[in-house]
Amino acid sequence: MQKIESQIVIGVPIYNEGAYILETLRSLAAQTHGEFKVLVADNASTDGTEQVCRTFCATDKRFTYVRHASNLGALENFRYCLENSDSEFFMWLGGHDQVVPEFLAETLARMQADDSVSLVYGHTSYIDELGRPLAQTNGGNYIFDEPLQAHERYLKLLRALYRCEPVNQLIRRSCIDFSFRPVISADLAFLCHLAGHGPFARVEKPLYVRREISKRDSTPMERLTGQKSEAKHYELAALFVDSIATHPAIDPARKPQLISQVLQWMDERFKVFSARSTTPEASASVPSAASGTAPFFSVVMPMYNRERYVKEAIDSVLTQSDADFELIVVDDGSTDRSLDIVERIDDPRLRLLRNQHGGGAAARHT
């Protein structure tokens, strides 16, 4: 399909929202700021969602309805809305949530008043399945005393995050350079990544309406990927590391310490690392990799025709004072004696993978 273009594009990724989607679409159509377009992406709903959306979108040229042939999972549907639109400002809105008529006008004004702002959000009003009011909050305390360096704001936001309603509010598209993955709670890393680009701003009014669904017939991972799978928080830790390592606004000299602080937060919040056995026997054993549990560090060593140096490189890793690691040597199709040298090293922390020659990037990716 041709990309949806406007000053503001709102992506509405949906699946089986037939009971609520009409109210969502009406709340967008009622905006006092008129320069926007809406992309409604239906993940092959099996209820009445399709007919409601087709009927409504046919009455308003600002709205485009697309139905996928199968359920791609929420992540791919979110990605679809982003990649099939082009705008200065972008937002996702859930198919059971709403915004008040002044939402776009108020958030856009704040965004345009300060070019450094990466996201604007408002206070949140909560309603139940029947639309009855439940509570109201300020949307989260994510406004800090500026100026801050990117790594400082990244960490402050992580420590302040409670709920992630801002992820569904107005974002400066140029700040969305994030590697989206099917990882539980990825919105935490995404919001921190945005904060690395610039501060958030809050409109001190109730602009966003969040519907609380008490019962769901699927798990979070099913909704995220469209398949039954177990949530793995170590994948979220890896996503944070990648976010920081590739972030263009964070000073490279600050990245190692920030990664360490984020991993510590991950362990405190989700017990990603400390859930491993802490018995004297376990702590005395050399590698976690040898016992079948996840090591704290993974050291990756791409290798291509390095017979003169690879033994010394591997020894420098294996003699580290902290033994809780695995060393993954990825051979990139060596034609010299490199493989023979590595294969003769007897250490349970060492893993050897073999690639056809494709270059260092391909080896690291493996």
Side-chain angles (χ1 to χ4, degrees):
M1 63 169 284
Q2 186 175 357
K3 283 192 174 184
I4 306 299
E5 298 182 358
S6 185
Q7 180 190 36
I8 302 171
V9 171
I10 300 133
V12 185
I14 53 175
Y15 176 71
N16 285 356
E17 298 286 4
Y20 313 116
I21 186 61
L22 184 58
E23 293 178 74
T24 299
L25 298 179
R26 283 174 173 168
S27 77
L28 291 172
Q31 292 300 297
T32 57
H33 177 83
E35 190 178 345
F36 68 91
K37 289 187 179 177
V38 179
L39 174 56
V40 183
D42 186 352
N43 235 341
S45 292
T46 58
D47 64 354
T49 296
E50 179 179 6
Q51 186 57 48
V52 173
C53 292
R54 288 193 185 278
T55 300
F56 183 90
C57 293
T59 67
D60 194 323
K61 294 181 178 179
R62 296 173 298 179
F63 290 72
T64 298
Y65 173 77
V66 174
R67 177 180 172 85
H68 302 310
S70 61
N71 188 347
L72 308 177
L75 172 70
E76 290 304 316
N77 209 12
F78 272 67
R79 193 199 308 273
Y80 179 90
C81 291
L82 179 67
E83 293 179 351
N84 286 275
S85 61
D86 188 12
S87 58
E88 185 177 1
F89 306 104
F90 181 83
M91 66 176 288
W92 291 280
L93 184 64
H96 49 263
D97 296 338
Q98 303 167 37
V99 287
V100 304
E102 299 78 26
F103 176 87
L104 288 181
E106 295 275 3
T107 56
L108 179 63
R110 289 297 301 275
M111 191 74 84
Q112 292 178 322
D114 187 347
D115 290 342
S116 71
V117 169
S118 63
L119 181 150
V120 180
Y121 66 106
H123 292 201
T124 300
S125 300
Y126 296 95
I127 59 176
D128 65 12
E129 290 98 329
L130 300 178
R132 296 173 298 198
L134 294 174
Q136 184 174 309
T137 72
N138 67 358
N141 297 315
Y142 311 137
I143 312 301
F144 312 114
D145 291 335
E146 297 287 345
L148 292 171
Q149 294 186 55
H151 69 280
E152 295 173 317
R153 195 182 307 107
Y154 192 110
L155 189 62
K156 278 182 173 289
L157 186 70
L158 178 63
R159 290 172 171 169
L161 281 171
Y162 172 59
R163 296 181 63 117
C164 293
E165 277 84 8
V167 78
N168 288 327
Q169 301 188 51
L170 196 63
I171 304 169
R172 193 179 302 276
R173 184 185 283 264
S174 61
C175 297
I176 308 177
D177 56 354
F178 181 76
S179 177
F180 292 98
R181 300 178 194 168
V183 175
I184 197 70
S185 300
D187 44 4
L188 296 174
F190 176 59
L191 287 172
C192 290
H193 197 90
L194 288 176
H197 280 292
F200 291 3
R202 182 174 60 206
V203 178
E204 304 298 345
K205 297 178 182 179
L207 300 178
Y208 179 75
V209 182
R210 170 76 176 180
R211 191 184 300 270
E212 294 289 271
I213 308 298
S214 58
K215 293 182 179 180
R216 293 185 181 270
D217 57 2
S218 59
T219 66
M221 284 302 290
E222 283 181 85
R223 294 193 293 274
L224 188 65
T225 66
Q227 300 175 354
K228 291 185 178 181
S229 58
E230 182 182 352
K232 302 178 179 68
H233 283 110
Y234 67 80
E235 293 179 344
L236 176 60
L239 182 60
F240 268 114
V241 172
D242 186 59
S243 162
I244 296 167
T246 61
H247 204 298
I250 298 176
D251 181 351
R254 301 286 188 175
K255 289 181 178 182
Q257 182 181 13
L258 179 58
I259 288 173
S260 176
Q261 291 169 318
V262 169
L263 291 180
Q264 182 179 359
W265 179 92
M266 282 289 305
D267 196 39
E268 293 170 355
R269 178 83 173 263
F270 299 113
K271 303 300 180 187
V272 177
F273 310 113
S274 60
R276 294 177 290 114
S277 174
T278 55
T279 62
E281 294 81 2
S283 59
S285 64
V286 179
S288 295
S291 63
T293 56
F296 193 79
F297 294 102
S298 292
V299 182
V300 178
M301 184 182 294
M303 175 183 72
Y304 178 69
N305 289 352
R306 287 294 183 265
E307 64 179 23
R308 294 179 57 188
Y309 313 113
V310 67
K311 178 65 164 60
E312 186 176 2
I314 289 174
D315 287 345
S316 75
V317 178
L318 297 181
T319 56
Q320 292 297 302
S321 58
D322 186 329
D324 192 4
F325 64 83
E326 63 180 351
L327 170 59
I328 304 171
V329 177
V330 187
D331 180 63
D332 192 43
S334 292
T335 58
D336 64 357
R337 295 179 54 256
S338 297
L339 269 173
D340 294 335
I341 293 170
V342 177
E343 288 173 340
R344 287 200 300 268
I345 298 174
D346 183 18
D347 192 297
R349 296 167 295 180
L350 175 62
R351 297 171 57 198
L352 175 61
L353 304 178
R354 295 173 175 84
N355 269 10
Q356 293 183 344
H357 184 51
R364 284 189 292 272
H365 183 70
T366 297

